[in-house]
């Protein structure tokens, strides 16, 4: 009597595991999308010398064609979940042939999708380490999810034609890598300020608001009394501070760029002032962290001019 070989547990549960991991990826990308769209003010993330989610999410690499990467990630995870669960919705007793065919087709799709996500996540990890210089824990979670999905699709199914599998992986991986490099080619070019190609560095998002007379007068007063604003080009709160002033007034401020990759960086001044967060205002020898209302800055510097500020409370 020949004993029938038992099915490995990972083969029995592989589709459920893939769907579960994809669901975690969906939650991860939804949260990041809410942060990118401003529904959530900022990512809940510890900030250290290595980890800084807001720096990563504010970088030029966080969007493709103006769309947050998390949106593309959401559809990728949703597609993996759909491919994993689709055959399980077919009753094997009534439509055994259809279910078997669906399983074969979806396994190849799962492997191709997991391979593409693995290459793309690997390149994003490279960008965080070598281009941005900061790590985002939510992006790291996504990388771990991509690795797990690839391993489960590889070992969670009995592949009859390993040669075809290897060939598919190479082709999909190359397409994903070449496509990714092409999309990010323009993002790797340093930004310039006001069209001046001689001033090189990352400038961050442009200020959209226009300044009124009161904002310009306050900015000139702040500079006259020696007030300094310390910030970084990627900092969303620094951008909010500039928007309160408007672009004309913001250009009048004594702004100190703390990130060496920014325009006209002066990181040594930030170190000497012991700046711990951005933005930070230095007024009369005191440090004030966070985005400040213009009325607050006026009070701190004994400003006597007009307070008809357009964007500040």
């Amino acid at each position: 009597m020949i004993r029938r070989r038992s099915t490995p547990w990972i083969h029995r549960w592989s589709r459920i595991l893939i769907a579960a991991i994809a669901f975690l990826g969906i939650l991860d990308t939804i949260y990041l999308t809410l942060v990118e769209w401003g529904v959530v003010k900022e990512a809940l993330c510890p900030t250290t010398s290595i980890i800084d989610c807001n720096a990563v999410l504010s970088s030029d690499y966080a969007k493709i064609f103006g769309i947050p990467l998390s949106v593309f990630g959401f559809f990728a995870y949703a597609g993996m979940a759909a491919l994993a669960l689709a055959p399980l919705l077919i009753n094997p007793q009534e439509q055994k042939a259809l279910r078997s065919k669906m399983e074969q087709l979806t396994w190849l799709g799962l492997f191709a999708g997991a391979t593409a996500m693995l290459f793309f996540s690997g390149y994003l990890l490279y960008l965080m380490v070598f281009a941005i210089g900061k790590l985002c824990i939510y992006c790291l979670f996504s990388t771990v999810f991509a690795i797990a999905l690839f391993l489960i699709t590889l070992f969670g199914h009995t592949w009859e034609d390993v040669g075809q599998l290897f060939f598919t992986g190479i082709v999909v991986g190359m397409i994903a890598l070449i496509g990714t490099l092409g999309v990010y080619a323009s993002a790797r070019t340093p930004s310039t300020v006001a069209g001046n190609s001689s001033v090189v560095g990352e400038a961050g998002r442009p200020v959209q608001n226009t300044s009124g007379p009161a904002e310009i007068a306050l900015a000139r007063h702040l500079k006259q009394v020696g007030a300094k604003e310390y910030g970084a080009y990627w900092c969303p709160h620094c951008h909010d501070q500039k928007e309160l002033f408007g672009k004309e007034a913001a250009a009048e401020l004594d702004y100190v760029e703390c990130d060496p990759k920014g325009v006209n960086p002066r990181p040594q001044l930030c170190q000497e002032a012991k700046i711990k967060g951005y933005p930070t205002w230095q007024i009369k020898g005191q440090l004030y962290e966070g985005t400040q209302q213009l009325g607050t800055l006026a009070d701190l510097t004994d400003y006597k001019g007009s307070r008809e500020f357009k964007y500040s409370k």
Side-chain angles (χ1 to χ4, degrees):
M1 180 177 178
I2 299 176
R3 177 175 295 180
R4 189 173 182 179
R5 188 178 179 181
S6 61
T7 303
W9 70 268
I10 193 170
H11 287 198
R12 295 196 304 269
W13 293 96
S14 54
R15 288 183 177 272
I16 300 299
L17 290 174
I18 290 171
I21 294 171
F23 179 71
L24 293 176
I26 289 173
L27 295 179
D28 185 38
T29 51
I30 287 177
Y31 179 71
L32 291 180
T33 301
L34 294 177
V35 173
E36 288 281 359
W37 286 346
V39 178
V40 177
K41 192 169 184 180
E42 64 178 13
L44 182 61
C45 174
T47 301
T48 67
S49 59
I50 299 176
I51 299 176
D52 194 328
C53 295
N54 292 311
V56 175
L57 298 177
S58 301
S59 71
D60 292 335
Y61 302 100
K63 294 182 179 180
I64 296 179
F65 307 122
I67 303 174
L69 283 181
S70 53
V71 174
F72 296 98
F74 168 82
F75 285 108
Y77 283 117
M80 292 293 288
L83 288 173
L85 296 176
L88 302 183
L89 301 178
I90 300 175
N91 191 324
Q93 302 299 327
E94 299 178 359
Q95 297 175 299
K96 184 176 181 181
L98 177 60
R99 175 160 175 167
S100 177
K101 185 176 181 179
M102 281 288 291
E103 286 182 345
Q104 293 178 3
L105 292 175
T106 54
W107 268 118
L108 190 59
L110 285 168
F111 178 75
T115 302
M117 293 175 69
L118 179 68
F119 274 78
F120 189 73
S121 297
Y123 185 70
L124 293 182
L125 180 61
Y126 164 82
L127 289 177
M128 284 192 292
V129 174
F130 296 102
I132 303 173
K134 300 288 183 179
L135 298 176
C136 171
I137 56 174
Y138 300 100
C139 304
L140 293 178
F141 287 156
S142 188
T143 301
V144 172
F145 295 156
I147 294 172
L149 289 173
F150 177 78
L151 292 177
I152 294 174
T153 56
L154 185 62
F155 297 107
H157 176 68
T158 302
W159 298 97
E160 297 180 359
D161 191 342
V162 178
Q164 181 190 17
L165 185 69
F166 180 78
F167 178 76
T168 301
I170 292 296
V171 171
V172 172
M174 291 300 295
I175 292 174
L177 184 58
I178 293 172
T180 302
L181 292 173
V183 168
Y184 278 116
S186 59
R188 295 171 67 89
T189 304
S191 305
T192 59
V193 178
N196 184 359
S197 60
S198 63
V199 182
V200 179
E202 298 287 354
R205 290 183 292 165
V207 180
Q208 301 295 328
N209 290 339
T210 57
S211 306
E215 284 83 7
I216 294 175
L218 175 61
R220 291 174 177 173
H221 169 75
L222 290 172
K223 187 172 184 179
Q224 184 178 5
V225 300
K228 288 183 173 61
E229 179 195 1
Y230 297 87
Y233 70 89
W234 45 261
C235 165
H237 298 301
C238 302
H239 180 77
D240 293 341
Q241 185 72 82
K242 293 176 182 177
E243 291 288 3
L244 289 178
F245 278 96
K247 55 185 175 182
E248 294 85 2
E252 298 278 351
L253 297 170
D254 187 359
Y255 173 77
V256 181
E257 175 61 52
C258 294
D259 194 304
K261 296 180 181 179
V263 176
N264 297 324
R266 293 181 286 174
Q268 69 282 0
L269 294 182
C270 305
Q271 295 174 2
E272 293 171 2
K274 298 181 180 179
I275 303 301
K276 298 179 180 179
Y278 310 128
T280 294
W281 287 88
Q282 187 178 48
I283 299 173
K284 298 179 181 180
Q286 297 293 320
L287 297 179
Y288 301 89
E289 295 185 356
T291 305
Q292 304 295 326
Q293 294 296 324
L294 300 195
T296 302
L297 294 173
D299 292 336
L300 292 173
T301 58
D302 301 320
Y303 171 70
K304 304 301 182 182
S306 171
R307 297 202 179 199
E308 295 183 2
F309 303 125
K310 298 170 64 176
Y311 311 106
S312 188
K313 297 178 182 178

